[in-house]
């Protein structure tokens, strides 16, 4: 297993391009199952989660080719064999987002068998809303040997209906993706009430509309889908990753540096930029030319000598994203005063608290709330990455800390940030990827 060795205290300067969004790309890749025609997806990031989705789709009969065109990664997908319909535990256990294939496979192939995702580091994460939504469209669903086994009703197609997707923590992003994708090929009209409003859902709807689906309301809590008989080919560019962009903004802020971000989805990041500005970070969109795509802007992010404490509550979009909670907590460790973060999406998503504390942070957690009392400085230490975003928080803390931080288990980071060490290195960070053996030889404690 690789580790990151980070020397803190370096100023950053330069330009980073925000890559295509992992969380948009995963359901888009799964949507390739909905058509017999070729699908082209541009700007799919090269991440371990994406490679796992490729592997899964390959097992489900999708031929995939990836290449770079004009330096943008381009993925070509085409279903060549529809006989397989089992997403095996082997793959699903490596990546919960495998559940994305359930709706598309059920709608197109009439049946789907998907291993039930287990718990994960950020909490229990049930899929009951996905199943309830598909059942409302007539799917017959059973649980067999740990697998979700789903088939369409006797009529041979799913049947449109009104589906309520609200749960105890709001709507469900991948549940909305599953039901919306399945409903495109259903007979009649489906209305999803309490749909997730995340930009990744809008991106999926745009791709499906480009394939011939009839969808209105994506981005609002009510999505209407009029089923069609078939979907056809598409050439679609994935939206930039708002969580990666927010992480880079925190990197500028925590090192009191100035970074330029290109391909930045500012329009999808209001809650994060609002909090950054309250903390004292400046974000200036660099308007060039007349036609600005609000999801692909250039902006200059400048830190500040003194960071102000703030309150943050994670919420469904357009509220503050849970996927930036750990990164903002790292930043607030160095604010001048007490900040409060309340986690309302994944109540257990606090594994970074203990590791940040090892670096000198002062954080007190009470249930779903953490009080962060700002300290003058963090100190490098050996720490353990536990999940993707918690690990990103540790990288940020390490960039600002005095001395050397060794982050173990960086495979978590590789799930969601492409070549993070090279990209942060290109703007001045001292960050090295080493094998555990090399770390032991150098005498840097790794566990
Ligand atoms: C997506 O997960 C993202 N994953 C997560 O990104 C993100 O944290 C999450 O949305 C919330 O924004 C991908 O897009 C691949 P949910 P998803 O269903 O869709 C509860 C990252 O770091 N719930 O919207 O699986 C659930 O427990 C990650 O990139 C049910 O109760 O999340 C949670 O409390 C990890 N029943 C809330 O809803 C269900 O059937 C929201 O979860 C489904 C969810």
């Amino acid at each position: 297993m690789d580790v990151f060795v980070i020397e803190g205290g370096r100023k950053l300067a330069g330009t980073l391009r925000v890559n295509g969004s992992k969380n948009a790309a995963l359901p888009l890749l799964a949507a390739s199952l909905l058509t017999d025609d070729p699908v082209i997806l541009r700007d799919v990031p090269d991440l371990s989660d994406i490679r796992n989705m490729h592997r899964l789709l390959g097992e489900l009969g999708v031929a995939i080719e990836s290449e770079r065109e004009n330096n943008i990664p381009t993925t070509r997908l085409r279903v060549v064999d529809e006989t397989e319909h089992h997403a095996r535990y082997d793959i699903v256990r490596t990546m919960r987002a495998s559940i994305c294939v359930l709706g598309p496979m059920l709608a197109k192939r009439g049946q789907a068998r998907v291993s039930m995702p287990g718990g994960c580091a950020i909490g229990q994460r049930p899929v009951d809303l996905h199943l309830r939504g598909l059942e409302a469209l007539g799917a017959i669903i059973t649980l067999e040997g740990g697998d979700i086994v789903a088939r369409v009703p006797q009529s041979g197609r799913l049947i449109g209906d009104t589906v309520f997707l609200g749960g105890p923590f709001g709507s469900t992003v991948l549940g909305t993706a599953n039901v919306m994708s399945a409903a495109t090929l259903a007979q009649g009209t489906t209305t999803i009430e309490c749909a997730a409003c995340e930009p990744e859902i809008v991106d999926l709807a745009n791709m499906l509309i480009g394939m011939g689906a009839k969808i209105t309301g994506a981005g609002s809590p009510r999505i209407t889908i009029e089923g069609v008989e078939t979907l056809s080919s598409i050439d679609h560019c994935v939206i930039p990753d708002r969580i990666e962009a927010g992480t880079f903004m925190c990197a500028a802020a925590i090192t009191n540096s100035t970074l330029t971000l290109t391909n930045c989805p500012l329009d999808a990041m209001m809650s994060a930029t609002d909090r950054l500005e309250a903390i004292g970070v400046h974000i200036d969109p660099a308007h060039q030319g007349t036609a600005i795509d609000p999801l692909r802007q250039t902006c200059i992010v400048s830190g500040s000598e003194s960071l102000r404490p703030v309150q943050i509550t994670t919420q469904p979009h357009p509220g503050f994203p849970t996927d930036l909670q750990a990164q903002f907590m790292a930043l607030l460790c160095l604010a001048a005063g007490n900040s409060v973060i309340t986690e309302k999406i994944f109540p257990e998503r606090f594994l970074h608290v203990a590791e940040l504390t090892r670096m000198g942070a002062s954080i007190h957690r009470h249930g779903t709330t953490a009080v962060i009392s700002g300290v003058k400085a963090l100190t490098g230490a050996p720490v353990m990455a536990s999940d993707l975003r918690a690990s990103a928080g540790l990288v940020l803390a390490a960039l600002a800390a005095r001395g050397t931080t060794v982050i173990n288990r960086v495979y978590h980071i590789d799930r969601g940030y492409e070549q993070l060490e090279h990209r942060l290195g290109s703007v001045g960070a001292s960050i090295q990827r080493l094998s555990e053996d090399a770390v032991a030889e150098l005498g840097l404690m790794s566990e």
Side-chain angles (χ1 to χ4, degrees):
M1 275 189 278
D2 289 350
V3 306
F4 276 171
V5 179
I6 301 177
E7 293 294 334
R10 304 275 177 101
K11 284 265 187 188
L12 308 182
T15 300
L16 288 170
R17 178 184 184 275
V18 179
N19 280 352
S21 158
K22 163 183 87 80
N23 287 348
L26 289 166
L28 298 183
L29 287 163
S32 67
L33 292 164
L34 286 164
T35 176
D36 297 329
D37 292 341
V39 167
I40 300 176
L41 288 177
R42 299 183 191 273
D43 216 6
V44 176
D46 183 14
L47 303 167
S48 58
D49 270 12
I50 298 290
R51 287 191 288 274
N52 280 327
M53 181 57 90
H54 285 183
R55 203 173 122 224
L56 174 58
L57 291 174
E59 287 201 0
L60 297 175
V62 183
I64 305 174
E65 285 171 27
S66 298
E67 58 187 348
R68 287 190 95 82
E69 276 183 23
N70 302 323
N71 214 23
I72 299 292
T74 303
T75 307
R76 292 167 197 278
L77 306 104
R78 182 163 201 168
V79 173
V80 289
D81 178 4
E82 284 205 317
T83 51
E84 186 54 74
H85 57 269
H86 189 185
R88 293 176 306 108
Y89 179 63
D90 223 27
I91 299 184
V92 177
R93 74 188 170 87
T94 62
M95 185 191 54
R96 293 183 53 84
S98 308
I99 191 77
C100 291
V101 301
L102 178 62
M105 197 158 44
L106 175 66
K108 181 67 168 51
R109 301 186 183 180
Q111 55 183 328
R113 185 174 187 122
V114 178
S115 179
M116 174 80 98
C120 81
I122 65 176
Q124 205 186 353
R125 304 188 70 187
V127 291
D128 55 311
L129 297 171
H130 299 235
L131 306 188
R132 197 207 293 169
L134 295 172
E135 277 173 339
L137 302 185
I140 298 147
I141 300 183
T142 52
L143 187 65
E144 291 173 26
D147 291 339
I148 300 159
V149 180
R151 58 189 166 83
V152 296
Q154 260 179 353
S155 66
R157 274 175 85 182
L158 294 170
I159 300 158
D161 205 337
T162 297
V163 178
F164 181 75
L165 283 186
F169 302 101
S171 188
T172 160
V173 180
L174 293 183
T176 301
N178 252 330
V179 176
M180 181 169 76
S181 298
T184 58
L185 292 180
Q187 200 177 332
T189 302
T190 299
T191 303
I192 305 178
E193 290 287 1
C194 202
C197 303
E198 269 64 6
E200 293 77 18
I201 293 296
V202 179
D203 200 31
L204 175 61
N206 286 339
M207 171 178 165
L208 293 170
I209 291 167
M211 294 166 79
K214 295 187 177 162
I215 302 174
T216 54
S220 81
R222 177 184 290 174
I223 303 178
T224 306
I225 307 118
E226 206 183 305
V228 295
E229 297 265 338
T230 55
L231 295 176
S232 51
S233 65
I234 180 78
D235 184 337
H236 181 84
C237 187
V238 180
I239 54 167
D241 195 318
R242 62 195 168 104
I243 306 305
E244 182 175 274
T247 306
F248 289 159
M249 287 177 180
C250 288
I254 205 164
T255 55
N256 186 17
S257 302
T258 298
L259 285 177
T260 300
L261 302 187
T262 61
N263 204 38
C264 182
L266 276 182
D267 201 47
M269 299 180 64
M270 300 267 180
S271 56
T273 54
D274 171 75
R275 291 297 77 194
L276 282 168
E277 276 162 11
I279 291 169
V281 179
H282 298 288
I283 297 159
D284 299 309
H287 294 293
Q288 298 156 341
T290 45
I292 300 158
D293 179 343
L295 287 179
R296 294 179 170 85
Q297 297 195 51
T298 295
C299 66
I300 298 163
V301 187
S302 325
S304 143
E305 197 66 51
S306 163
L307 303 173
R308 290 188 288 267
V310 295
Q311 294 201 13
I312 292 176
T313 300
T314 66
Q315 286 170 328
H317 190 78
F320 188 92
T322 173
D323 291 347
L324 282 175
Q325 185 252 103
Q327 298 90 317
F328 273 68
M329 189 180 292
L331 178 60
L332 292 171
C333 288
L334 292 173
N338 294 335
S339 299
V340 181
I341 294 186
T342 304
E343 175 56 64
K344 289 219 168 163
I345 306 293
F346 294 113
E348 297 303 321
R349 197 175 202 177
F350 285 111
L351 287 172
H352 40 288
V353 169
E355 301 303 300
L356 289 171
T357 305
R358 285 178 56 70
M359 299 178 71
S362 171
I363 305 170
H364 297 279
R365 181 187 162 194
H366 308 275
T368 59
T369 294
V371 178
I372 304 111
S373 306
V375 294
K376 288 249 174 314
L378 295 170
T379 317
V383 288
M384 186 73 76
S386 54
D387 78 73
L388 168 56
R389 308 304 173 186
S391 319
L394 296 179
V395 170
L396 293 172
L399 292 178
R402 289 183 182 144
T404 308
T405 299
V406 179
I407 304 181
N408 290 279
R409 302 194 179 172
V410 297
Y411 62 85
H412 287 293
I413 297 176
D414 298 333
R415 291 186 44 215
Y417 296 90
E418 186 178 330
Q419 298 198 352
L420 189 62
E421 71 279 24
H422 292 138
R423 293 162 80 204
L424 289 177
S426 75
V427 291
S430 167
I431 167 166
Q432 254 187 305
R433 180 188 292 265
L434 295 178
S435 68
E436 269 181 344
D437 289 347
V439 170
E441 270 171 38
L442 289 171
L444 295 164
M445 190 166 56
S446 68
E447 288 284 348

